[in-house]
Amino acid sequence: MSDSPSGTPKLTQRPEWTALEDHRKDALPQPDLRELFAADPGRAERYVVHVGDLRIDYSKHLVTDETLALLQELATATDVFGQRDAMFRGDKINVTENRAVLHTALRASRDAVIEVDGENVVPGVHAVLDKMTGFANRVRSGEWTGHTGKRIRNVVNIGIGGSDLGPAMAYETLRPYTARELTFRFVSNVDGADLHEALRDLDPAETLFIVASKTFTTIETITNATSARSWLLEGVGGDEKAVAKHFVALSTNAEKVADFGIDVDNMFEFWDWVGGRYSYDSAIGLSLMIAIGPDRFREMLDGFRIVDEHFRNAPAEANAPIVMGLLGIWYGNFHDAQSHAVLPYSHYLSKFTAYLQQLDMESNGKSVDRDGNPVEWQTGPVVWGTPGTNGQHAYYQLIHQGTRLIPADLIGFARPVAELSDELKAQHDLLMANLFAQGQALAFGKTAEEVRAEGVPEEQVPHRTFKGNRPTTTILATELTPSVLGQLVALYEHKVFVQGAVWNIDSFDQWGVELGKVLAKRVEPALTEGADVPGLDSSTAALVAAYRKLGK
Ligand code: F6P
């Protein structure tokens, strides 16, 4: 049954997998949510897990107790729990890069002991957090000044992928907690327009650049940072010494930081056991720490830790990342769902799904298993979504009445943020009424009989009927605080982990982004100098020729 060198049985040949396939066939067309709720009045209370400030309701899923039990058996058979423990322990579970995966150490308490190659990494984590704290306080208080002695009023983070999405998302999410007198911008795109728009109304003498790059070799970031450096020097009279007061680096690569001309004293370190997409609670979060202050940043880390502890210790059936991960597997592997929507009912979470796209799709967008064998099962879904009410007037039609099954997470809060005026706070009930109504409509739909009973002409009945049975998880939290953000992010991090563990893939490498990078470097001289690129395919060669002709 095994065809892998490590002796791991093929997932689809495991009895726990085939039991789920059989269960799915038995239940065809599929369990009906109206019937399931009618048959089990306790369902709404039983199918809820709590973690920290999050109440996670999964009662509106196409599952029964038997489905959940079978999914849990699959998790046990694939050793999700052993793999989880190996991650927390610091084992080198990123097999293709021979690295530990220890983003959980970034939020470990000061007295924790987590070893990589026999060395406790926790003191290093706290030393960097302390250094960040000192620096953030100096910028926030005005003690850290620019080259000309002016106070820093603008902070520009230059990074891409995990070195951008996390801090940019968290800054947006926690805006009510930010120092409003400071301006924050996040530049990622190598399109010069991004940097142009970010800088056009800023005074160089008041601007601090944070160059965020784990490797410090990423072409987009180094290109933007080089242009930012020129802009700064031009703005402050050309004195190279200005760089030390206006540029800091967040990186694992001190050598490259020094090569770029940033003083390594102004570098905030992290480590190769932190994946880029798992890094915004490391030094990569410096811009966020300046924005919300070190105390709030630590509250956020506490939130992460609440979910880490829960994931480690809660029983499997009440373990939120396990339950959410397994539900995703139920749809992706046994219902042929292609995507997963994350729909926050909070304007402040407008970048949350974009952040999750990298977290989930870069982690689990894999088609070979850990041993390099092609997988014969679907892996990570397409993750997508925007804030819920806006989506309702755009693409929800397809979720309600289209032909595809799209499981969705609806995320909302019991309280609006404190800063809003009373009038704006009063809108919160309407916002949340929309969330609850969507979950209800998606689950229970509207039958043809109900439509007819409203006097709708017969020819319109099919158009106005909603089949229902569209599964959703509702995540309800008290309020969008730094801690709650940490809880939400850790929840999804571990959900992604659970799925990768079941699928037997390496969720922590990202070789799939390499080819495009290499080819871009190879093609660039053809664009800039018209150089001959050996081996260029005829389609790309024609595009390059057209580009050069049209651009003249
Ligand atoms: O290209 C993908 C990637 O390697 C991501 O995994 C990473 O978050 C991003 O690029 C940025 O990398 P770096 O922080 O090294 O600049």
Side-chain angles (χ1 to χ4, degrees):
M1 161 157 140
S2 159
D3 63 355
S4 79
S6 62
T8 314
K10 215 188 252 175
L11 183 59
T12 44
Q13 288 172 4
R14 288 181 182 277
E16 295 80 6
W17 184 276
T18 50
L20 277 158
E21 282 177 334
D22 293 343
H23 174 67
R24 167 78 176 105
K25 281 184 212 130
D26 291 348
L28 275 175
Q30 63 190 15
D32 180 69
L33 284 169
R34 285 187 185 226
E35 285 170 18
L36 290 177
F37 274 87
D40 178 5
R43 184 177 171 98
E45 274 83 53
R46 279 192 307 119
Y47 284 14
V48 173
V49 285
H50 292 270
V51 48
D53 299 296
L54 312 179
R55 180 185 191 277
I56 303 168
D57 178 326
Y58 60 99
S59 62
K60 295 190 185 78
H61 278 282
L62 305 173
V63 294
T64 61
D65 288 353
E66 191 187 348
T67 323
L68 294 170
L70 291 171
L71 287 166
Q72 289 288 354
E73 281 168 26
L74 181 68
T76 306
T78 50
D79 195 28
V80 170
F81 308 99
Q83 295 189 53
R84 169 197 65 189
D85 295 344
M87 173 177 72
F88 277 97
R89 211 166 41 226
D91 291 7
K92 295 192 173 167
I93 61 165
N94 177 356
V95 287
T96 72
E97 296 180 302
N98 193 31
R99 286 179 181 167
V101 173
L102 271 180
H103 42 279
T104 52
L106 299 170
R107 50 264 192 164
S109 56
R110 234 175 242 280
D111 55 356
V113 177
I114 303 167
E115 292 188 349
V116 176
D117 295 328
E119 191 198 332
N120 181 14
V121 298
V122 178
V125 167
H126 282 272
V128 173
L129 276 173
D130 292 343
K131 183 174 170 183
M132 290 164 67
T133 300
F135 182 73
N137 282 336
R138 284 203 294 285
V139 174
R140 285 165 64 86
S141 69
E143 186 192 327
W144 180 283
T145 56
H147 181 62
T148 64
K150 275 191 171 180
R151 184 181 174 158
I152 296 296
R153 295 190 191 280
N154 317 307
V155 177
V156 180
N157 187 84
I158 299 179
I160 198 164
S163 299
D164 165 74
L165 289 163
M169 175 280 291
Y171 169 73
E172 205 57 44
T173 303
L174 298 176
R175 262 195 188 222
Y177 298 89
T178 58
R180 300 286 197 175
E181 68 280 12
L182 298 177
T183 296
F184 291 85
R185 304 259 161 91
F186 295 84
V187 173
S188 56
N189 201 324
V190 77
D191 181 345
D194 197 1
L195 192 66
H196 169 73
E197 288 299 329
L199 301 186
R200 53 178 291 281
D201 56 347
L202 303 187
D203 175 356
E206 298 181 339
T207 302
L208 173 73
F209 290 98
I210 298 182
V211 185
S213 176
K214 179 176 168 178
T215 54
F216 231 76
T217 57
T218 305
I219 188 93
E220 292 87 342
T221 300
I222 301 305
T223 306
N224 276 325
T226 306
S227 299
R229 197 170 179 277
S230 308
W231 176 85
L232 171 85
L233 290 177
E234 207 172 295
V236 296
D239 185 351
E240 292 274 339
K241 281 203 211 93
V243 173
K245 298 295 280 179
H246 292 268
F247 274 80
V248 299
L250 321 175
S251 189
T252 58
N253 193 339
E255 208 181 309
K256 293 278 178 200
V257 168
D259 286 353
F260 182 83
I262 296 179
D263 187 344
V264 283
D265 281 352
N266 293 343
M267 166 177 154
F268 298 82
E269 183 196 10
F270 63 114
W271 306 272
D272 72 1
W273 40 262
V274 182
R277 53 194 174 273
Y278 297 86
S279 70
Y280 95 82
D281 46 343
S282 70
I284 290 294
L286 183 64
S287 54
L288 177 69
M289 189 189 267
I290 297 171
I292 63 173
D295 291 347
R296 295 294 195 189
F297 192 88
R298 282 172 202 268
E299 280 172 35
M300 185 186 75
L301 297 183
D302 293 343
F304 274 96
R305 195 163 58 241
I306 289 170
V307 176
D308 292 346
E309 293 300 321
H310 166 89
F311 181 44
R312 249 181 136 162
N313 301 314
E317 61 289 353
N319 193 309
I322 301 264
V323 171
M324 286 175 65
L326 292 175
L327 287 168
I329 283 171
W330 179 230
Y331 297 114
N333 295 112
F334 301 95
H335 289 74
D336 201 26
Q338 304 293 310
S339 77
H340 182 93
V342 179
L343 309 167
Y345 281 71
S346 163
H347 185 68
Y348 290 112
L349 283 175
S350 57
K351 293 195 169 160
F352 189 64
T353 310
Y355 168 78
L356 291 185
Q357 282 181 325
Q358 189 199 10
L359 177 66
D360 199 323
M361 295 165 77
E362 199 168 73
S363 296
N364 285 345
K366 309 287 162 66
S367 54
V368 293
D369 69 14
R370 286 191 189 93
D371 295 310
N373 302 310
V375 295
E376 291 166 14
W377 46 91
Q378 293 293 335
T379 59
V382 176
V383 176
W384 61 283
T386 53
T389 37
N390 296 358
Q392 284 172 215
H393 295 274
Y395 50 76
Y396 272 43
Q397 164 67 36
L398 186 146
I399 309 181
H400 281 288
Q401 288 189 315
T403 51
R404 295 171 196 279
L405 179 76
I406 301 178
D409 297 343
L410 309 172
I411 305 175
F413 299 89
R415 293 197 286 264
V417 299
E419 193 181 279
L420 302 188
S421 68
D422 287 346
E423 190 180 353
L424 294 178
K425 273 191 190 131
Q427 294 182 199
H428 192 71
D429 287 343
L430 179 57
L431 171 71
M432 290 302 290
N434 272 282
L435 183 159
F436 296 132
Q438 289 300 324
Q440 192 186 9
L442 288 164
F444 305 114
K446 194 170 182 184
T447 63
E449 290 67 46
E450 287 167 335
V451 177
R452 276 190 201 104
E454 288 175 353
V456 169
E458 194 53 34
E459 69 277 12
Q460 284 203 7
V461 170
H463 300 282
R464 298 205 190 189
T465 300
F466 291 67
K467 280 195 192 139
N469 290 322
R470 316 272 155 150
T472 55
T473 300
T474 303
I475 303 177
L476 183 62
T478 42
E479 198 178 325
L480 190 44
T481 60
S483 171
V484 165
L485 175 62
Q487 293 170 38
L488 283 170
V489 172
L491 174 69
Y492 281 97
E493 285 178 350
H494 297 320
K495 173 200 157 176
V496 166
F497 177 90
V498 168
Q499 297 188 333
V502 171
W503 291 323
N504 189 27
I505 55 178
D506 186 337
S507 299
F508 301 100
D509 60 16
Q510 56 284 320
W511 300 107
V513 298
E514 294 305 320
L515 180 60
K517 288 187 197 173
V518 172
L519 294 183
K521 266 199 190 145
R522 202 179 295 162
V523 173
E524 198 194 357
L527 275 58
T528 49
E529 308 149 18
D532 229 11
V533 179
L536 204 61
D537 67 90
S538 56
S539 164
T540 311
L543 283 167
V544 169
Y547 168 84
R548 281 183 59 84
K549 193 167 161 213
L550 293 170
K552 277 197 181 123

